[in-house]
Amino acid sequence: QVQLVESGGGLVQPGGSLRLSCAASGSIFRMNGMGWYRQAPGKERELVAVISSGGITNYADSVKGRFTISRDNAKNTVYLQMNSLKPEDTAVYYCNVNLLTRTLQAIGSWGQGTQVTVSS
């Protein structure tokens, strides 16, 4: 009914940048809150950044000042710009989208995950 496609992960050196994208498609009436989470090996999934339907953002302390979340409602897409990357940012990054379908069903959906590796 709704599909999420993530892109933009990869290998980058410390201090480098990456931009993640997560595009939603399908039976979408309205996009609500959207966010990015990450899970490193042996650790629990943690919140990285979220953005409300009104554009209000919130970040984990560990990424404040380095990461920026944004959204394009016309494209049903959420982005995560990651600058000054550190080895500890290495993880699988997942987008999470809350939306209202055309049948007015409220659902939450996860992307498939994209690997980000920060290493020299």
Side-chain angles (χ1 to χ4, degrees):
Q1 192 175 20
V2 175
Q3 300 80 38
L4 297 182
V5 177
E6 296 184 29
S7 61
L11 173 64
V12 64
Q13 293 186 342
S17 298
L18 284 174
R19 189 192 194 207
L20 306 183
S21 299
C22 175
S25 62
S27 177
I28 300 171
F29 176 72
R30 185 181 69 217
M31 305 290 288
N32 292 327
M34 308 168 84
W36 289 94
Y37 294 73
R38 66 186 181 188
Q39 187 167 17
K43 295 187 177 181
E44 293 187 354
R45 190 173 297 188
E46 64 176 1
L47 182 146
V48 176
V50 292
I51 184 167
S52 72
S53 57
I56 295 173
T57 59
N58 194 24
Y59 297 91
D61 288 342
S62 59
V63 306
K64 280 181 181 176
R66 300 189 298 122
F67 291 11
T68 301
I69 188 171
S70 61
R71 60 191 290 164
D72 184 334
N73 292 327
K75 296 181 178 180
N76 292 332
T77 299
V78 60
Y79 304 97
L80 186 67
Q81 178 66 44
M82 304 185 293
N83 299 329
S84 303
L85 282 160
K86 304 175 181 180
E88 50 263 44
D89 294 318
T90 295
V92 178
Y93 283 71
Y94 298 90
C95 66
N96 176 261
V97 172
N98 296 290
L99 58 88
L100 204 60
T101 68
R102 289 176 184 155
T103 56
L104 301 184
Q105 179 185 8
I107 65 171
S109 186
W110 289 91
Q112 81 277 11
T114 185
Q115 177 70 46
V116 172
T117 303
V118 185
S119 176
S120 54

